[in-house]
Amino acid sequence: MSAVHVVGGIDLEVVHRGAGRPVLLLHGAQNVDPRAPFLEMLGRHAEIIAPSHPGFGRSARPADFETVYDLVHFYLEFLETLPHETVTLIGLSFGGWLAAELAVKCRHRLDGLVLVDAFGIKVSDRETPDILDVFNTSPQEVQRRSWHDPATWAPDLDALSDDELVVRARNWEALCLYGWNPYMYNPQLKRWLGRITVPTLVVWGASDGIVKPSYGRAYSSLIPGSRFELIERAGHHPEIEQARAFADTVVKFLDR
Amino acid sequence: MDAWWQCEVPYPFVPQEVLNATDSVRASLPNRYCDPKVAADLFEEVIDEFLLCDDHGLNVLAVEHHAGINSLLGANPLLVGILARQTRQVRILSLGTLISLRKDPVRVAEEYATADVISRGRLEIGFVKSGGTEMASNHANPVNNIERYWEAIDLIKKALSHHDGPFSWEGKHFTHRHVNIWPRPWQQPHPRMWSATGDPETAAEVGRRGMVHVLVLRGPDGTRRAYAAHRKAREEAGLPKVTTDNFAYAAFVYVGDTDEEGLRVGSKLLWFLHTSLKSAPQYSRFLPGVAPPSAAPGRQGGVLHPAQAGLTGPRQGRVHRRRDPRVRTLLHAREHPRRLRGLPRRRHHRLRDGQERLRSRQQDHAPRARDRRRPEPYRQVLRLREGLVDLRQELEGLHCLHEPSRLLPILTQRAG
């Protein structure tokens, strides 16, 4: 289901699925679950390469490695290790921030970019947070704002093993370390989004209460030629809540 | 044994229905519930009490907490500055400026050096790691809090003890290219340093550094473990053994004339635990960095976690719940009420005698206005001062507390 590769001296957990055109999938607050149906759906059309970021999942994190700057440069190195000349980059949530940074820096290794409910930029005024502070908000409120249908889709944590709980705690800690300040965005990134020249699709869950669709529209408008698509009846995780609609949207983009 | 009077200046005037309705009385309770006129009166009373301590030779301790009803002392350096000038004889312990929350440790060093000079060498510098709610209220990343803590201490120590012109600091968390503070501290090379911590790992580092090690409201097992880690680390590092002067303990203390009074009035202090520390789970056990990820399965029973939003998470209900250390402390207090809140009868007489002597002495001169303001805290200052020997014997009766030579009574008389 997943394998460990050594990249840049770091033991990296990587999920591989499917065959075909290469797609590098950068996860959000949680590393990718190899059992997720959207992986299978996308894997029928592409080779999905889904690493766990250093510090997330079962990937190691060097002690001096604790900024998004580190992650972005790590993935620049990771791209160079891939045998493919170019890849399509998909970034979910926090991973969308990384994907946007990479697309600004590394146009020549990409043939497409998909941002899904992505973090990374500041849109609103200084007294209006764009992204819900998940660390300082009650768990109940975070849950309510994460899903279109929390009763159906919020994970059943009682079903998790202790190992899985430890992995989730690692993810939570790593997300905090990388994203605490400025909270989940790079103040400079918005300025450089115009450098992105690859075809770009921005996908958003219509019911996302973590970061609203209006933010996604603004994000899309800053990337030349970008297209914005809403997925109905989905919150912050359209790839989970509406796996079929999400996969169809992405595959259509891949087949463009 | 020496003792250090502290009052955290709690604010127990928020309506109970408001406190019941909120998930946290720290970090997120709107400050519209804090009446600045009431706060001004509280500060005046507490500072007067500190000055009374000075009159009677009882050392004082200025604590710091942020954004909650448990304490209005968010700006500890201001109180330390006032005490440095207004007291005349006792030692002043800052415990302390929450350095891992401050962006510039050099500025903290300036504040400490200034207070040490104003007090003519009566300052003691204490460091505290900060609590979960304070990460939110001070925008401080909780994951690398401990790293910042030690680096800030290193920088403060160097800023206080370096006297040869500007030096440069380019550390992991703090950079300051031109450090050269004026004034330098009165005490050389710097005022004595304390650190409050209970976990064995940090306790070991406190031991290696030779700081005074403070335990705050820890139960017997935790206290024993922390002191043992302190000693073991020193031994492993080849450092000389420390005496009990390196150990301090902060506990709720109320000295009554009788056991009944001790329990009745002392029980008010439990308001501090019951009510003033109420904290939402996102500020406490679900806060990243509070415990290593490997501890996750044991920490997450019973309360919904943000993971259930798909962002991270624990399970509900099936794993053993970790016992809240504050509950242990409270249970311990209930199991040993006489030990901490009352004094055995034979000692009451000694205390009463002592108070009579003090009253006689006070009649020899006109009491200051502050002596008349609120009788109960003043009685406590006098009783505590007179009862220190008895208190030590009481503490020695608790097996966990036989080591500390320094007692930091936490007095929150306004509670309840």
Side-chain angles (χ1 to χ4, degrees):
Chain A
M1 300 289 270
S2 66
V4 174
H5 301 263
V6 179
V7 179
I10 298 173
D11 288 344
L12 196 72
E13 176 185 51
V14 184
V15 173
H16 291 273
R17 187 61 49 85
R21 74 199 78 186
V23 170
L24 176 59
L25 174 66
L26 301 182
H27 65 79
Q30 292 297 328
N31 59 317
V32 169
D33 182 347
R35 300 162 296 187
F38 83 91
L39 269 188
E40 192 65 39
M41 294 172 190
L42 291 180
R44 291 186 202 121
H45 302 269
E47 176 192 358
I48 309 298
I49 306 160
S52 299
H53 314 319
F56 289 76
R58 292 175 177 81
S59 291
R61 180 180 68 79
D64 60 350
F65 200 103
E66 51 187 48
T67 65
V68 166
Y69 179 90
D70 295 315
L71 289 177
V72 169
H73 284 80
F74 172 79
Y75 279 120
L76 289 173
E77 191 166 335
F78 183 82
L79 280 170
E80 288 175 8
T81 67
L82 296 177
H84 320 288
E85 193 170 321
T86 61
V87 302
T88 298
L89 187 57
I90 301 178
L92 311 172
S93 180
F94 173 72
W97 176 6
L98 304 181
E101 297 270 9
L102 288 165
V104 166
K105 291 178 193 294
C106 191
R107 296 177 288 190
H108 64 288
R109 294 303 301 265
L110 306 181
D111 55 34
L113 173 67
V114 182
L115 301 180
V116 184
D117 299 75
F119 300 161
I121 60 173
K122 177 65 187 167
V123 171
S124 302
D125 64 77
R126 65 185 183 182
E127 295 185 23
T128 308
D130 293 311
I131 302 165
L132 180 70
D133 185 346
V134 297
F135 300 112
N136 292 330
T137 302
S138 78
Q140 291 83 357
E141 179 65 4
V142 176
Q143 172 179 290
R144 189 184 69 75
R145 292 175 61 163
S146 293
W147 303 95
H148 173 79
D149 179 8
T152 301
W153 293 103
D156 177 8
L157 301 168
D158 281 343
L160 298 183
S161 68
D162 283 359
D163 283 348
E164 289 170 320
L165 286 173
V166 171
V167 164
R168 283 180 166 263
R170 287 196 83 218
N171 293 344
W172 192 237
E173 185 173 287
L175 182 71
C176 181
L177 185 64
Y178 292 123
W180 181 272
N181 183 44
Y183 181 67
M184 300 300 171
Y185 72 93
N186 172 359
Q188 306 307 121
L189 178 58
K190 190 163 70 172
R191 167 78 175 72
W192 298 103
L193 288 177
R195 272 178 51 83
I196 298 176
T197 52
V198 295
T200 300
L201 171 67
V202 177
V203 179
W204 227 264
S207 306
D208 190 348
I210 300 293
V211 55
K212 292 179 179 169
S214 57
Y215 179 94
R217 290 183 197 281
Y219 217 139
S220 181
S221 71
L222 293 163
I223 300 172
S226 167
R227 188 158 54 85
F228 180 81
E229 284 208 25
L230 269 185
I231 294 189
E232 299 296 334
R233 303 182 64 76
H236 189 61
H237 308 284
E239 77 282 4
I240 295 173
E241 264 189 300
Q242 298 296 336
R244 170 54 60 195
F246 172 79
D248 288 349
T249 301
V250 172
V251 169
K252 190 174 164 190
F253 174 76
L254 294 175
D255 289 342
R256 68 194 179 277
Chain B
M1 170 181 276
D2 53 31
W4 305 69
W5 172 278
Q6 68 168 303
C7 178
E8 312 217 356
V9 197
Y11 190 91
F13 305 112
V14 178
Q16 190 59 45
E17 59 269 24
V18 173
L19 301 181
N20 291 341
T22 187
D23 65 349
S24 184
V25 300
R26 305 174 70 182
S28 54
L29 187 68
N31 66 12
R32 65 172 174 272
Y33 294 112
C34 178
D35 182 339
K37 295 187 181 68
V38 174
D41 288 344
L42 287 174
F43 281 124
E44 190 167 340
E45 289 177 2
V46 169
I47 290 170
D48 278 356
E49 288 159 23
F50 279 120
L51 299 187
L52 185 71
C53 290
D54 189 51
D55 291 346
H56 296 290
L58 192 60
N59 297 326
V60 294
L61 186 167
V63 78
E64 179 171 302
H65 294 291
H66 292 266
I69 65 170
N70 60 313
S71 176
L72 298 182
L73 291 173
N76 169 285
L78 294 183
L79 178 59
V80 170
I82 291 168
L83 295 176
R85 176 63 179 84
Q86 297 297 94
T87 60
R88 293 298 180 191
Q89 57 166 331
V90 296
R91 296 196 68 76
I92 303 159
L93 169 59
S94 165
L95 192 72
T97 295
L98 300 182
I99 48 169
S100 62
L101 308 182
R102 294 281 293 269
K103 310 294 185 216
D104 184 4
V106 176
R107 177 57 184 262
V108 177
E110 286 182 316
E111 292 163 358
Y112 282 143
T114 304
D116 194 41
V117 168
I118 291 173
S119 69
R120 295 178 188 273
R122 290 183 290 114
L123 182 69
E124 309 242 350
I125 299 176
F127 300 107
V128 184
K129 292 181 296 183
S130 311
T133 58
E134 284 150 346
M135 297 295 132
S137 58
N138 290 273
H139 197 64
N141 194 325
V143 175
N144 48 23
N145 182 53
I146 299 300
E147 282 186 359
R148 291 198 308 278
Y149 180 71
W150 292 121
E151 187 181 332
I153 290 173
D154 290 340
L155 177 48
I156 290 167
K157 188 172 176 178
K158 177 150 188 184
L160 291 172
S161 56
H162 181 89
H163 310 307
D164 300 320
F167 71 88
S168 175
W169 188 275
E170 292 178 341
K172 180 174 179 181
H173 297 286
F174 305 105
T175 58
H176 200 121
R177 301 197 306 277
H178 199 88
V179 185
N180 184 34
I181 65 168
W182 282 66
R184 66 187 173 109
W186 181 285
Q187 299 171 86
Q188 300 296 316
H190 55 74
R192 181 165 51 186
M193 291 183 172
W194 302 48
S195 178
T197 187
D199 70 89
E201 189 174 315
T202 320
E205 184 61 20
V206 172
R208 282 188 285 271
R209 288 166 180 257
M211 304 165 88
V212 178
H213 187 175
V214 191
L215 271 291
V216 181
L217 296 177
R218 283 270 166 168
D221 294 342
T223 301
R224 246 193 309 270
R225 274 198 300 273
Y227 289 154
H230 180 127
R231 285 202 165 96
K232 184 168 179 237
R234 287 190 67 81
E235 186 181 344
E236 288 174 351
L239 298 168
K241 283 184 179 175
V242 292
T243 69
T244 55
D245 281 350
N246 270 51
F247 298 123
Y249 192 85
F252 290 110
V253 171
Y254 186 85
V255 182
D257 277 347
T258 63
D259 281 357
E260 186 281 324
E261 184 195 349
L263 285 168
R264 178 173 48 78
V265 183
S267 65
K268 292 182 182 179
L269 305 180
L270 296 179
W271 174 92
F272 192 81
L273 296 178
H274 284 314
T275 307
S276 81
L277 300 180
K278 181 181 180 184
S279 177
Q282 67 268 23
Y283 302 134
S284 48
R285 58 187 177 147
F286 293 155
L287 190 71
V290 167
S294 58
R299 292 177 61 81
Q300 297 160 353
V303 180
L304 184 67
H305 188 281
Q308 295 201 305
L311 287 164
T312 187
R315 72 190 105 179
Q316 283 184 295
R318 84 176 154 89
V319 290
H320 43 281
R321 224 187 248 242
R322 202 179 73 134
R323 206 169 175 194
D324 187 330
R326 293 195 305 270
V327 174
R328 284 203 297 272
T329 304
L330 178 60
L331 290 175
H332 187 81
R334 284 178 175 161
E335 287 161 6
H336 304 278
R338 287 166 55 98
R339 300 247 184 236
L340 285 179
R341 297 202 299 268
L343 287 175
R345 188 171 303 281
R346 62 186 170 78
R347 294 176 189 153
H348 300 161
H349 302 299
R350 288 174 50 189
L351 276 177
R352 267 202 290 271
D353 292 346
Q355 286 160 36
E356 288 301 326
R357 287 198 302 276
L358 280 169
R359 273 195 285 274
S360 300
R361 284 204 294 274
Q362 283 175 339
Q363 286 165 2
D364 293 340
H365 59 84
R368 291 191 240 184
R370 59 176 181 257
D371 293 338
R372 299 192 298 266
R373 191 182 299 274
R374 286 187 319 117
E376 192 164 275
Y378 298 143
R379 284 211 312 272
Q380 276 300 290
V381 171
L382 307 184
R383 284 169 170 169
L384 188 61
R385 178 177 173 276
E386 289 297 302
L388 278 181
V389 174
D390 301 291
L391 272 173
R392 177 166 191 168
Q393 289 170 7
E394 288 298 314
L395 291 172
E396 284 172 346
L398 292 173
H399 297 304
C400 69
L401 300 177
H402 68 283
E403 292 187 292
S405 284
R406 306 181 188 283
L407 174 65
L408 285 52
I410 300 172
L411 299 146
T412 54
Q413 293 88 353
R414 280 156 207 80

